Amino acid sequence: MNMIIQRLFAKRFLSFFVAALSLIFLLPTLSKAASFPDLVPLVKKLKPVVVNISTKQTLSPKHGKSEEMLDSLKNSPFEKFFRQFLDKMPKEKFSSRSLGSGVLIDAKGYIVTNDHVVADANEIMVRLFDEREFSAKVIGRDKKTDLALIQIQAGVDLPIATFGDSDKTEVGSWVVAIGNPFGLEATVTAGIISATGRMIGNGPYDNFLQTDAAINPGNSGGPLFNLDGEVVGINTAIMSRSGGSMG
């Protein structure tokens, strides 16, 4: 009887030992499968192809329509309120500044960004990753796709990005966004593609990739990279009630 109990105990112990040993060998594989991608080498490679864009726009005060509105409100309870508002408006031309991002696509200084980043700008300045600054000129603009091509004269060949196929980008794919949100240069955020083919009512070519990588004001015109370091999108719009990234 004791011999039978010993044999049963030995078999169960052996089974437990084999199962435990198998689990030990599987742990590294499971850990590797569940780990996040190592983005450090990728980011070091890609940062030099992303640029900071700052623009200056000179605006003229438009009092014509305001005066017409004021005349229509004459002797009404709202006349005083609108007159006070009108008196606070600039009487002379004033400057407006904005920030955005862009990506180098040609060694001769050609940069892709959003059209709304450079639209109606009187002055466009581009700052490279190494902090050199250059004046840029607009080569072409397309309001319908919200894309623009600008160029700087750096005097030397510049590092450039390569383009991937956004049609092959799948939901769940890892992506990296590099840009200048709120003027904070070379900011890197990462996430996944949340959806493809998004229609947000932004022009006739309404077919966007949605990502949960943080995209904020100043990221406009910056690139969205896949893990092969290829540009699969240009960060264009934020769908948010707060104005900040909500995924």
Side-chain angles (χ1 to χ4, degrees):
M1 185 68 175
N2 288 337
M3 185 68 69
I4 294 173
I5 293 173
Q6 289 175 358
R7 286 179 179 176
L8 287 172
F9 177 78
K11 286 182 179 180
R12 289 181 179 178
F13 178 79
L14 184 61
S15 299
F16 173 79
F17 178 77
V18 171
L21 195 62
S22 299
L23 182 60
I24 290 172
F25 281 111
L26 281 172
L27 280 175
T29 304
L30 293 172
S31 176
K32 185 176 181 180
S35 64
F36 293 106
D38 181 10
L39 301 177
V40 175
L42 183 66
V43 169
K44 286 182 177 179
K45 174 185 174 183
L46 297 177
K47 270 190 172 184
V49 306
V50 182
V51 303
N52 172 284
I53 299 175
S54 59
T55 65
K56 180 180 178 181
Q57 182 180 1
T58 302
L59 304 173
S60 299
K62 298 179 180 179
H63 292 315
K65 291 185 178 180
S66 300
E67 292 289 354
E68 289 177 9
M69 180 181 292
L70 201 58
D71 288 340
S72 67
L73 296 173
K74 198 170 184 178
N75 299 323
S76 75
F78 300 102
E79 180 185 6
K80 182 179 180 180
F81 171 79
F82 278 101
R83 184 170 294 282
Q84 289 176 343
F85 175 76
L86 186 61
D87 289 342
K88 292 179 182 179
M89 292 181 66
K91 301 297 188 294
E92 300 178 355
K93 291 182 178 181
F94 60 98
S95 296
S96 173
R97 295 182 179 273
S98 62
L99 296 173
S101 307
V103 57
L104 284 157
I105 63 166
D106 185 272
K108 299 305 180 184
Y110 289 95
I111 298 165
V112 167
T113 185
N114 280 140
D115 175 65
H116 73 259
V117 170
V118 298
D120 302 321
N122 303 108
E123 178 184 301
I124 304 172
M125 295 299 296
V126 170
R127 180 180 292 179
L128 303 181
F129 178 66
D130 59 11
E131 297 190 355
R132 286 181 295 162
E133 285 189 305
F134 300 93
S135 176
K137 65 177 181 179
V138 175
I139 303 300
R141 293 173 48 203
D142 184 12
K143 187 175 181 179
K144 290 183 179 180
T145 58
D146 197 11
L147 291 175
L149 182 68
I150 63 175
Q151 185 185 21
I152 60 173
Q153 299 291 339
V156 296
D157 286 350
L158 298 170
I160 62 172
T162 56
F163 282 87
D165 189 346
S166 59
D167 288 339
K168 295 180 180 178
T169 303
E170 297 182 314
V171 174
S173 303
W174 281 95
V175 287
V176 175
I178 304 179
N180 305 285
F182 306 112
L184 302 173
E185 296 182 17
T187 296
V188 180
T189 57
I192 62 168
I193 294 295
S194 307
T196 60
R198 278 283 187 241
M199 298 180 67
I200 60 173
N202 190 39
Y205 307 108
D206 202 6
N207 185 9
F208 287 85
L209 298 176
Q210 179 184 340
T211 178
D212 68 351
I215 305 294
N216 288 293
N219 273 115
S220 288
L224 188 70
F225 296 102
N226 61 22
L227 292 189
D228 292 324
E230 300 170 328
V231 178
V232 293
I234 299 296
N235 301 318
T236 301
I238 302 172
M239 296 296 290
S240 168
R241 293 178 179 176
S242 65
S245 179
M246 295 180 68

